[in-house]
Amino acid sequence: MLDISVVKTDSPKQIPGPDDPLTFGTIFTDHMFVMNYEEGKGWYDPRIVPYGPFSLEPSAMVFHYGQEMFEGLKAYKSDDGRTLLFRPDKNIWRANKTNRRICIPEIPDEDFLQAIQAIVKMDEAWIPHKPGTSLYIRPFIIATDPFLGVRPSDTYIFCIILSPVGAYYPEGLNPVKIWIEDEYVRAVRGGIGEAKTGGNYVASLRSQVKAHEEGYSQVLWLDGVERKYIEEVGAMNIFFKINGTVITPMLNGSILPGVTRDSVIQLCKDWGVPVEERRISIDEIFEAHKNGTLEEVFGTGTAAVISPVGQLRWEDHIMKVQDGGIGPYSQKFYDTITGIQLGRIADPHGWTVEVK
Ligand SMILES: *Cc1c(COP(=O)(O)O)cnc(C)c1O
């Protein structure tokens, strides 16, 4: 159990009203959770303090070699006024998996959950109520040793910030156009692709800019070795429905193990829909599109939950899916997962956790 101290802000901010626009990740709540680490001492001084800047040495290791991890999950307000988290145990498990990969000291699962619960409880009034809105929770850890040599840091800051976010697609589900990248790669097996760490994102920026310039909203990555097998989208895992079977790339070491991905796979099993986790090549997708069996394509991630893909571009080929619209499975996964998140429908696997 953490003994969390609390310093409340003496200048609370204006909480956005139901009609104020909420764009992703721009507004932050009044408080944040912070905890420090020092080699030999462990994690110490867990505290809730007013949201505000850190003071760090310019030589702090995170600025130079990127030793940092992050997570992303959401808190929702149910119709009966409860505050619900969605599968936080999965995020915490993944956070510590990332920590092990990049030599950051682990945080005991129960302390991590307690920290999330405490900060969400503190700023509970910031959770928006409108359909599709939620409170985005961003835990992260940064390396803070003032040192320019290369080694794991001996000191760290763990922080959790909160941001009220609007519906990802204000008019409901909206199909995206995706650029299949065949020039750059994001990750290779044995690298850090399966860790949630900033390095993977900086590796993706060049392609993202290129795709945006071409009118595509996201990039779909192929494997870093043969550039042949599908990996995932920028910040989403990817699913295909081909001839009645739901298929997603298997977790091979370079793909992020998404919580939403896992939830979709479980729902397929619950519903008796054939589902496969396996290698899937771009040629297979191209063939399926050509012979009319590529029924649906969608991305999965905490931010948008389900993103139907209306168009894929690979080299000079443009593949339209569902005529550029939303497929019935994409819609059903979206309705079911958001229904569970909001406590509106049965939660047979106990995915939601109430913040009390
Ligand atoms: C966070 C993330 C995802 C989605 O994971 P969820 O747990 O479903 O939000 C997918 N790919 C990458 C690269 C990510 O960072």
Side-chain angles (χ1 to χ4, degrees), residues 70-73 91 94 136 186 193 195-197 200-201 232-237 255-262 300-303 305:
F70 69 94
E71 266 303 327
L73 67 161
N91 294 89
R94 186 171 67 193
Y136 186 77
R186 169 186 177 272
K196 216 166 169 78
T197 180
N200 291 318
Y201 284 79
E232 61 174 310
V233 185
M236 295 192 295
N237 295 109
I255 296 173
L256 206 283
V259 178
T260 323
R261 174 189 182 278
D262 187 80
T300 64
T302 295
V305 186

Side-chain angles (χ1 to χ4, degrees), residues 335-353:
D335 292 342
T336 305
I337 293 175
T338 55
I340 293 172
Q341 287 168 337
L342 290 168
R344 285 185 178 160
I345 61 176
D347 176 15
H349 300 286
W351 283 342
T352 56
V353 172

Side-chain angles (χ1 to χ4, degrees), residues 1 11 49 56 63 65 68 80 93 106 111 114 136 151 163 178 205 224 226 229 258 262 273 293 306-307 319 336 341:
M1 270 289 271
S11 48
V49 293
L56 291 173
F63 294 137
Y65 309 122
E68 76 92 35
D80 57 4
W93 164 81
E106 291 178 46
D111 292 352
Q114 188 193 345
Y136 186 77
R151 59 156 172 76
S163 175
I178 291 208
L205 295 178
E226 295 177 70
Y229 296 99
D262 187 80
V273 173
T293 53
I306 302 289
S307 274
M319 297 178 255
T336 305
Q341 287 168 337

Side-chain angles (χ1 to χ4, degrees), residues 60-68 147-151:
M61 292 181 89
V62 64
F63 294 137
H64 306 278
Y65 309 122
Q67 198 191 7
E68 76 92 35
F147 179 52
L148 294 185
V150 177
R151 59 156 172 76

Side-chain angles (χ1 to χ4, degrees), residues 80 119 188 213 230 262 293-294 313 322 338 356:
D80 57 4
I119 189 62
V188 291
E213 281 167 1
I230 308 281
D262 187 80
T293 53
L294 181 61
R313 158 130 181 208
Q322 279 284 333
T338 55
K356 287 184 177 158

Side-chain angles (χ1 to χ4, degrees), residues 83-228:
T83 296
L84 301 175
L85 304 172
F86 185 69
R87 309 190 74 184
D89 51 312
K90 278 268 169 195
N91 294 89
I92 293 168
W93 164 81
R94 186 171 67 193
N96 277 325
K97 194 165 134 72
T98 297
N99 286 342
R100 287 192 291 277
R101 177 64 183 83
I102 59 175
C103 301
I104 291 176
E106 291 178 46
I107 295 177
D109 289 10
E110 58 278 15
D111 292 352
F112 206 127
L113 183 60
Q114 188 193 345
I116 292 173
Q117 300 236 19
I119 189 62
V120 170
K121 186 79 204 163
M122 183 77 191
D123 283 342
E124 207 172 13
W126 285 79
I127 305 175
H129 290 235
K130 263 196 165 172
T133 65
S134 57
L135 186 68
Y136 186 77
I137 306 169
R138 168 54 60 88
F140 63 99
I141 302 176
I142 54 172
T144 54
D145 276 11
F147 179 52
L148 294 185
V150 177
R151 59 156 172 76
S153 181
D154 286 333
T155 59
Y156 297 87
I157 294 174
F158 171 49
C159 180
I160 307 174
I161 55 176
L162 306 173
S163 175
V165 294
Y168 202 83
Y169 301 112
E171 287 90 37
L173 276 183
N174 205 2
V176 293
K177 288 166 68 183
I178 291 208
W179 175 277
I180 302 179
E181 177 60 81
D182 57 6
E183 182 182 2
Y184 302 105
V185 300
R186 169 186 177 272
V188 291
R189 265 171 285 159
I192 54 171
E194 65 179 350
K196 216 166 169 78
T197 180
N200 291 318
Y201 284 79
V202 80
S204 75
L205 295 178
R206 189 72 258 157
S207 303
Q208 187 187 308
V209 168
K210 188 174 74 176
H212 280 179
E213 281 167 1
E214 300 283 346
Y216 288 77
S217 63
Q218 309 221 24
V219 172
L220 177 65
W221 299 99
L222 299 179
D223 78 280
V225 179
E226 295 177 70
R227 304 196 190 189
K228 181 175 168 192

